[in-house]
Amino acid sequence: MSEEQFKIILEYIKDLSIETPNVATLTYVRENLSNYVMDIDISSLVLKNKALEVTTKLTLSDKKESNEKAFFEIKYASVITINEMVKDKKVIGKIVLCDLQKAVYPKIEKLFLDLIKNAGYPELKFEKKVDFEKLYNEKFN
């Protein structure tokens, strides 16, 4: 898929949440960042002008049982138009879930990581890169 099939009209942070209840939590989470796992959720909404608002939500949370937890989440919206020649719902799905994500995700990841670091977690790194092509193919092929 090429970017000629869709055009990004605008992008913005729709919602942002970083919660660290107290200094004990900050200290504990800093020492246990390896317990934190990234979840990605993508949703879309058709707008009046035939554009789509695609929201990419990243949530970083501790999946293990612990009393000391911090919470990190960003919802990043991209408003796109899809070339009117593209009619196949499968192709549109791939544009939303894969092609658009490959275009915007590096920016979202950097923004999210910088915000988390500035919130008191300078050691945080995302080790794995997200392969949207692979994820799409595993889910739909």
Side-chain angles (χ1 to χ4, degrees), residues 95-113:
I95 289 169
V96 168
L97 297 172
C98 184
D99 300 332
L100 171 64
Q101 300 308 314
K102 289 193 291 188
V104 298
Y105 183 79
K107 186 186 312 179
I108 300 169
E109 182 183 87
K110 182 182 181 332
L111 181 63
F112 195 38
L113 194 55

Side-chain angles (χ1 to χ4, degrees), residues 14 28 37:
K14 196 172 194 175
Y28 179 82
V37 177

Side-chain angles (χ1 to χ4, degrees), residues 6 13 17 21 42 44 47 51 56 59 69 76 80 88 90 93 97 104 106 108-109 116 124 130 135 140:
F6 70 96
I13 295 174
S17 180
I42 302 165
S44 62
L47 303 175
T56 305
T59 305
K69 288 188 179 186
Y76 191 86
I80 64 170
D88 186 338
K90 230 179 160 178
L97 297 172
V104 298
I108 300 169
E109 182 183 87
I116 294 170
L124 181 65
V130 180
L135 289 174
F140 294 105

Side-chain angles (χ1 to χ4, degrees), residues 12-26:
Y12 65 99
I13 295 174
K14 196 172 194 175
D15 189 33
L16 175 65
S17 180
I18 297 176
E19 299 170 17
T20 305
N22 53 49
V23 72
T25 299
L26 175 74

